[in-house]
């Protein structure tokens, strides 16, 4: 009982720290005099004559349930750079963290894992995302989460994975703070994959699927509790209850014009049709890739290759790959309104699937066959 209360206390302390930190950052950036902010900052700072500039950026106008923490990054930069220059800075930060995350995966886990990480992202046309000030947030959070999760591998050797739950709680909270509602499932699926690979390599803990489930719950609680905290802060600060407005906005973004249960199946069908009609990375492309890989595997099996029994331990990767599909099935309007964004969220499906297929291969035997073949060719 005492350990449970200690864990709850740890989550409460983390939640309090994050709330204070987010509020401090929001207040601190508003110490910059308004005259130093360039004219184009108006597009990032929705205004309401009832409130000060600070409360406008905290409360927002069209998405008040979000923290609008992107202001923390924009306001100082807007006093020094133009929008075009900020986009270049965003691109530099994006690719530095992107390749750093891939290198860390290669160094701590396995070089092929790092290569598959690069491939799964490059397939999704991420160049426009790298300089998009509204879309890059989730990607930057994901890269930072990978670096944190792989920063101290001894944490996985402990029998108690509480620190892992706290990390995912913080990831969910930061997602709510910085993201503008674009690709949030990315910040859960990819870090969850890295946590799974790290647990398998660095620990002897049993019940890894259960740990991953608790990590997912912690991420969801981080998102939910930070949103509720923002609602409570606005009630205390303004004396007005914005919770009904928050719920209305969330419903519009996730379910659109659905007003009855009978309309949900039609919306799900339209969402699925939208995915299938995507010209870039989508379900259609994923099916084609799986068919190509299946043909390759059949060729390998015909040559004497057999599936590794250890691949059964990689089944959790299949469930992780289903996260974006479940997310957009449960929020059909989001997939229809943000079709391009949802197709990029399918990176979360691509990376675990590629890892699962790679794990099925007996790489040592294949490498030995390839080297023997090259040697025999060289002799002839």
């Amino acid at each position: 009982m005492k350990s449970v209360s200690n864990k709850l206390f740890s989550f409460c302390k983390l939640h309090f720290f994050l709330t204070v930190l987010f509020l401090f950052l929001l207040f601190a950036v508003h110490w910059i005099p308004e005259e130093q902010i360039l004219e184009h900052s108006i597009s990032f700072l929705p205004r309401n004559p009832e409130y000060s500039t600070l409360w406008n950026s905290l409360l927002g106008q069209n998405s008040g349930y979000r923290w609008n923490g992107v202001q923390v990054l924009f306001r100082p930069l807007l006093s020094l750079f133009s929008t075009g220059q900020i986009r270049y800075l965003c691109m530099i930060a994006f690719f530095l963290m992107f390749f750093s995350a891939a290198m860390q995966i290669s160094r701590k886990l396995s070089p092929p894992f790092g290569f598959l990480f690069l491939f799964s992202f490059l397939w999704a046309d991420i160049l426009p995302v790298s300089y998009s000030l509204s879309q890059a947030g989730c990607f930057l959070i994901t890269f930072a989460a990978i670096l944190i999760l792989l920063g101290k591998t001894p944490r996985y050797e402990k029998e108690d994975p509480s620190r892992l739950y706290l990390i995912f709680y913080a990831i969910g909270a930061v997602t709510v703070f910085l993201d503008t509602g674009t690709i949030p499932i990315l910040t859960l699926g990819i870090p969850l994959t890295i946590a799974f690979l790290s647990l398998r390599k660095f620990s002897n803990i049993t019940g890894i699927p259960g740990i991953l489930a608790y990590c997912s719950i912690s991420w969801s609680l981080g998102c939910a509790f930070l949103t509720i905290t923002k609602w409570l802060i606005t009630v205390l600060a303004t004396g007005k209850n914005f919770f009904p407005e928050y719920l209305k906005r969330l419903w519009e973004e996730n379910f659109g014009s659905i007003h009855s249960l009978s309309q949900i199946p039609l919306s799900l069908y339209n969402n699925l049709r939208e995915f299938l009609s995507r010209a870039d990375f989508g379900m259609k492309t994923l099916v084609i890739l799986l068919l190509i890989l299946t043909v390759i595997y059949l060729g390998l099996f015909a040559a004497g290759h057999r599936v590794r029994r250890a691949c059964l331990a990689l089944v959790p990767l299949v469930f992780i790959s289903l996260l974006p599909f479940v997310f957009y099935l449960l929020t059909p309007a989001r997939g229809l309104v943000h079709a391009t964004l949802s197709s990029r969220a399918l990176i979360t499906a691509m990376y675990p699937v590629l890892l699962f297929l790679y794990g099925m291969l007996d790489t040592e035997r294949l490498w030995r066959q390839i080297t023997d073949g090259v040697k025999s060719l060289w002799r002839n």
Side-chain angles (χ1 to χ4, degrees):
M1 188 68 182
K2 187 177 180 181
S3 65
V4 174
S5 61
N6 288 337
K7 290 177 182 178
L8 288 174
F9 185 61
S10 298
F11 275 98
C12 290
K13 287 194 297 183
L14 176 62
H15 184 85
F16 178 77
F17 169 76
L18 291 173
T19 302
V20 172
L21 175 63
F22 294 162
L23 285 174
F24 172 78
L25 291 174
L26 284 172
F27 275 82
V29 296
H30 284 81
W31 292 340
I32 302 174
E34 290 289 330
E35 57 270 13
Q36 292 186 17
I37 306 297
L38 302 179
E39 293 181 0
H40 50 72
S41 66
I42 296 175
S43 61
F44 298 117
L45 301 175
R47 297 184 181 277
N48 187 327
E50 289 188 56
Y51 305 111
S52 65
T53 305
L54 172 63
W55 287 114
N56 276 311
S57 61
L58 177 61
L59 302 179
Q61 196 167 2
N62 297 322
S63 55
Y65 66 92
R66 299 195 185 101
W67 279 80
N68 300 304
V70 73
Q71 310 293 333
V72 174
L73 302 177
F74 283 158
R75 283 185 66 93
L77 292 175
L78 285 169
S79 64
L80 300 172
F81 306 102
S82 66
T83 304
Q85 292 171 328
I86 294 175
R87 292 187 189 279
Y88 280 115
L89 292 174
C90 182
M91 181 186 290
I92 292 171
F94 183 97
F95 282 107
L96 281 177
M97 295 185 69
F98 176 51
F99 289 113
S100 297
M103 287 180 61
Q104 190 76 330
I105 293 172
S106 300
R107 192 168 66 89
K108 292 291 184 70
L109 297 175
S110 171
F113 293 172
F115 170 77
L116 293 176
F117 176 80
L118 290 173
F119 178 80
S120 61
F121 271 81
L122 292 174
W123 189 266
D125 188 22
I126 59 172
L127 183 59
V129 181
S130 64
Y131 55 78
S132 173
L133 302 178
S134 60
Q135 297 181 32
C138 278
F139 288 89
L140 296 177
I141 294 170
T142 300
F143 302 152
I146 292 172
L147 296 174
I148 292 171
L149 287 169
L150 292 177
K152 293 183 178 180
T153 52
R155 71 161 62 93
Y156 299 102
E157 299 173 1
K158 300 179 180 179
E159 295 295 328
D160 186 9
S162 297
R163 288 187 177 274
L164 204 57
Y165 303 152
L166 291 172
I167 290 174
F168 274 88
Y169 187 94
I171 294 172
V174 174
T175 300
V176 168
F177 180 67
L178 285 179
D179 181 43
T180 57
T182 55
I183 322 173
I185 198 64
L186 194 73
T187 66
L188 171 62
I190 300 298
L192 207 61
T193 303
I194 299 301
F196 170 74
L197 297 174
S198 301
L199 286 169
R200 289 192 71 246
K201 181 172 183 178
F202 301 113
S203 75
N204 297 318
I205 298 177
T206 57
I208 293 179
I211 294 174
L212 298 180
Y214 279 116
C215 288
S216 303
I217 293 172
S218 298
W219 181 89
S220 303
L221 291 176
C223 294
F225 287 165
L226 260 294
T227 303
I228 294 172
T229 301
K230 184 175 184 292
W231 164 62
L232 293 173
I233 291 172
T234 55
V235 171
L236 294 174
T238 65
K240 295 184 178 181
N241 183 6
F242 289 93
F243 191 64
E245 182 183 334
Y246 292 174
L247 290 180
K248 180 181 178 182
R249 182 64 181 175
L250 281 169
W251 180 270
E252 289 176 354
E253 288 189 357
N254 294 320
F255 298 97
S257 59
I258 298 176
H259 301 291
S260 64
L261 293 176
S262 61
Q263 291 178 304
I264 292 179
L266 179 60
S267 180
L268 294 179
Y269 169 75
N270 290 333
N271 201 12
L272 179 61
R273 186 179 63 182
E274 178 65 29
F275 278 131
L276 291 173
S277 65
R278 290 297 304 166
D280 54 2
F281 181 83
M283 288 178 64
K284 188 174 181 180
T285 306
L286 193 61
V287 169
I288 292 173
L289 280 176
L290 290 177
L291 287 175
I292 293 172
L293 289 170
T294 301
V295 172
I296 295 173
Y297 269 73
L298 289 174
L300 290 171
F301 296 156
H305 178 76
R306 293 294 179 268
V307 178
R308 296 177 60 188
R309 294 180 180 178
C311 72
L312 293 175
L314 301 176
V315 170
L317 289 173
V318 177
F319 289 96
I320 294 175
S321 70
L322 296 177
L323 283 175
F325 299 101
V326 173
F327 179 77
Y328 286 108
L329 281 175
L330 295 177
T331 58
R334 185 179 291 271
L336 291 172
V337 176
H338 305 290
T340 305
L341 304 181
S342 58
S343 66
R344 289 179 183 135
L346 293 178
I347 296 169
T348 304
M350 171 69 89
Y351 186 46
V353 165
L354 290 177
L355 289 172
F356 178 76
L357 295 173
Y358 173 79
M360 293 173 65
L361 292 173
D362 188 348
T363 50
E364 293 182 2
R365 180 182 175 183
L366 286 175
W367 180 250
R368 189 165 55 250
Q369 290 177 345
I370 292 171
T371 52
D372 291 344
V374 170
K375 287 179 182 177
S376 64
L377 220 96
W378 179 261
R379 288 169 188 166
N380 294 334

